[in-house]
Amino acid sequence: TIRTDDLGGGQISSVSWEGGETRNVVSTYDEIPDGQLAALFGSAGHVEIAARGVPAASLGGPASGVPVSATVN
């Protein structure tokens, strides 16, 4: 689990998992482009990989419980 507190003041520039990656980093679900994946901090303060209107896994996102890595600038 990656939380906002883990970033040390940095910002996420990409999130990757086995077989995939997204460089779309947004603040809200409304900012996610149609048909694309994006990373954002959910209401619990953890990084989520999400898509708008469809399950993220249907677009190649990680399954629940799959480890992810974040690149922080």
Side-chain angles (χ1 to χ4, degrees):
T1 301
I2 302 168
R3 302 168 308 175
T4 53
D5 294 344
D6 297 330
L7 301 181
Q11 295 205 3
I12 291 177
S13 60
S14 68
V15 178
S16 60
W17 54 92
E18 187 173 333
E21 175 185 51
T22 184
R23 294 180 183 273
N24 291 331
V25 181
V26 299
S27 298
T28 68
Y29 290 100
D30 284 341
E31 296 173 359
I32 300 173
D34 287 337
Q36 295 186 27
L37 297 171
L40 73 155
F41 284 99
S43 60
H46 299 224
V47 168
E48 299 178 11
I49 308 302
R52 200 165 61 165
V54 298
S58 73
L59 296 176
S64 180
V66 169
V68 300
S69 298
T71 301
V72 178
N73 295 329

